[in-house]
Amino acid sequence: MSRFWSPIVHELDPYVPGEQPKMERLIKLNTNENPYGPSPKALAAMRDCVDERLRLYPDPSGEALKQAIADYYQVPVPQVFVGNGSDEVLAHTFQGLLQHDLPLLFPDITYSFYPVYCGLFEVEHELIPLTEQFEIDPQDYARPNGGIIFANPNAPTGRGLMLESIETIVQANPDSVVVVDEAYIDFGGQSAVSLVSKYPNVLVIQTLSKSRSLAGARVGFAIGHEDLIDGLERVKNSFNSYPLDRVALAGGVAAMQDVDYFEETRQKVMQEREVLTGSLGALGFEVLPSQTNFLFARHPEREADVLASTLRADGIIVRHFNTPRIDQFLRITIGTAQECAALVASLEQILKA
Ligand SMILES: *Cc1c(COP(=O)(O)O)cnc(C)c1O
């Protein structure tokens, strides 16, 4: 606390990211990073641009990256926005597209950064409870609002929403921007990018942090109608002209272009997810169906926070949220087969005790 702070700083309730421990040999299943490294082509492209050219500013608009994303999704370049991680793209979206007189709607259980941005940008919001099965019911979003945002598949539940249901929400809200945060879409969900050409009020946000294993490079993007993208560009150019450095831009382009590596690694994650779902089920866990690179699971007889701390003592970190409705769940990132086997072995011992 300081008398030098602007008044809003006193009111902020900042996001708390999952731990990035300094210890080695920990099995890190707590922040949904990809267990396989970035594309070797992305790594080579990044190394290739670490030279004397770093004295120059990068391309302020990240044209090459926008082009690579536009090529991948078969959309026009002016429908693409890029930013320093999707968190930055989200921040510009909250400030530039979701701050209106009526409240922003989002699920009670979703990415916990959304309420944080509401605090920072003074966006009124209303929480819409997920159903008992932790699903989004599109009918719940047919009410007056100044915008809608949800993650699909949702985090931390892992559950996906059908494209028809997303379209229902979009059609019911022609006067609001509907933002679909697709951080995990590549692990089995149905993307809403196909709705962008049909509706001027859909904004899809994605990241290269999860399915393309570039969390450390901070590359995110949005796809939407040109007018929405134009709004985001205006905010970006009023905040930071060069949000993506040369290295991140080069890696992002190569990662988007290396479709073979992307396909191979996302398939491996999805296969391992099915294996781990079975193993946890056999240990008595209730596991929500996941379309992501993590599982959301609870054990009927064990306290989740105790399980998490016992696992930690065993060198395995998973995420536990001490919040209503989900405080008995663990969110477990899909690791390599070896990491998942170590988790299962550790849980077996813990449950025996
Ligand atoms: C990981 C995540 C993000 C942030 O991704 P970055 O691009 O790394 O900033 C955004 N939304 C959801 C739902 C996420 O899980």
Side-chain angles (χ1 to χ4, degrees):
M1 188 109 78
S2 161
R3 67 195 167 90
F4 299 116
W5 288 2
S6 304
I8 183 98
V9 179
H10 295 274
E11 308 299 321
L12 297 179
D13 188 4
Y15 179 75
V16 183
E19 193 191 349
Q20 294 293 345
K22 304 283 177 292
M23 279 171 282
E24 279 172 45
R25 283 197 301 279
L26 267 184
I27 296 183
K28 196 174 171 305
L29 305 177
N30 67 329
T31 52
N32 299 341
E33 287 137 333
N34 198 311
Y36 308 107
S39 148
K41 290 180 181 163
L43 292 176
M46 289 190 272
R47 284 193 196 99
D48 278 353
C49 72
V50 178
D51 60 22
E52 192 266 343
R53 283 170 301 172
L54 280 174
R55 73 187 180 80
L56 300 171
Y57 282 108
D59 175 6
S61 64
E63 272 318 302
L65 179 59
K66 286 181 179 174
Q67 185 68 59
I69 293 162
D71 288 347
Y72 182 84
Y73 276 110
Q74 296 292 299
V75 296
V77 173
Q79 292 185 0
V80 181
F81 177 80
V82 294
N84 190 266
S86 61
D87 284 341
E88 186 185 75
V89 178
L90 284 165
H92 291 338
T93 301
F94 272 73
Q95 192 170 30
L97 303 174
L98 300 176
Q99 217 262 40
H100 299 287
D101 292 337
L102 289 167
L104 173 69
L105 309 181
F106 54 85
D108 62 336
I109 299 163
T110 190
Y111 188 34
S112 48
F113 224 133
Y114 302 157
V116 176
Y117 291 131
C118 286
L120 179 59
F121 299 118
E122 302 184 281
V123 177
E124 293 287 336
H125 68 280
E126 198 177 319
L127 298 179
I128 309 294
L130 294 177
T131 67
E132 281 296 302
Q133 290 73 40
F134 297 107
E135 288 179 290
I136 288 173
D137 182 346
Q139 305 315 321
D140 294 340
Y141 291 80
R143 66 174 81 192
N145 65 75
I148 294 172
I149 184 165
F150 52 87
N152 183 52
N154 200 8
T157 65
R159 301 210 70 161
L161 189 62
M162 304 270 287
L163 188 57
E164 291 97 282
S165 299
I166 297 175
E167 192 160 9
T168 302
I169 294 173
V170 171
Q171 285 174 338
N173 293 280
D175 298 321
S176 301
V177 176
V178 177
V179 180
V180 189
D181 178 351
E182 296 189 348
Y184 301 102
I185 199 67
D186 299 316
F187 301 107
Q190 286 179 292
S191 175
V193 168
S194 63
L195 301 181
V196 165
S197 61
K198 287 205 267 179
Y199 302 98
N201 61 324
V202 184
L203 187 78
V204 174
I205 297 181
Q206 292 193 13
T207 175
L208 276 68
S209 295
K210 277 70 182 241
S211 57
R212 290 184 178 82
S213 199
L214 280 177
R218 315 302 302 126
V219 186
F221 63 92
I223 297 178
H225 188 281
E226 286 186 40
D227 293 347
L228 299 184
I229 300 304
D230 199 31
L232 293 177
E233 294 288 352
R234 289 172 67 95
V235 175
K236 173 246 167 193
N237 289 320
S238 307
F239 177 76
N240 180 1
S241 306
Y242 309 103
L244 285 153
D245 61 70
R246 285 175 171 271
V247 181
L249 286 171
V253 169
M256 290 307 300
Q257 290 173 342
D258 193 352
V259 177
D260 291 345
Y261 184 83
F262 164 74
E263 283 298 333
E264 182 191 320
T265 49
R266 77 184 183 106
Q267 294 297 340
K268 280 206 282 194
V269 169
M270 288 189 282
Q271 279 159 19
E272 195 50 43
R273 176 182 70 208
E274 299 319 306
V275 174
L276 186 59
T277 301
S279 309
L280 292 181
L283 290 175
F285 280 89
E286 177 201 335
V287 186
L288 297 192
S290 169
Q291 294 188 332
T292 60
N293 68 337
F294 59 85
L295 294 176
F296 204 49
R298 71 176 149 198
H299 197 281
E301 286 138 30
R302 298 302 181 102
E303 293 290 324
D305 58 341
V306 177
L307 282 178
S309 52
T310 316
L311 280 171
R312 197 177 199 297
D314 226 1
I316 301 173
I317 38 179
V318 299
R319 191 102 196 246
H320 173 251
F321 296 92
N322 199 9
T323 45
R325 291 188 76 187
I326 57 169
D327 60 349
Q328 286 311 317
F329 281 87
L330 296 177
R331 194 194 68 188
I332 305 166
T333 304
I334 306 300
T336 60
Q338 293 87 327
E339 288 171 328
C340 292
L343 168 79
V344 171
S346 177
L347 283 171
E348 259 169 17
Q349 292 306 316
I350 295 169
L351 294 171
K352 253 188 237 163

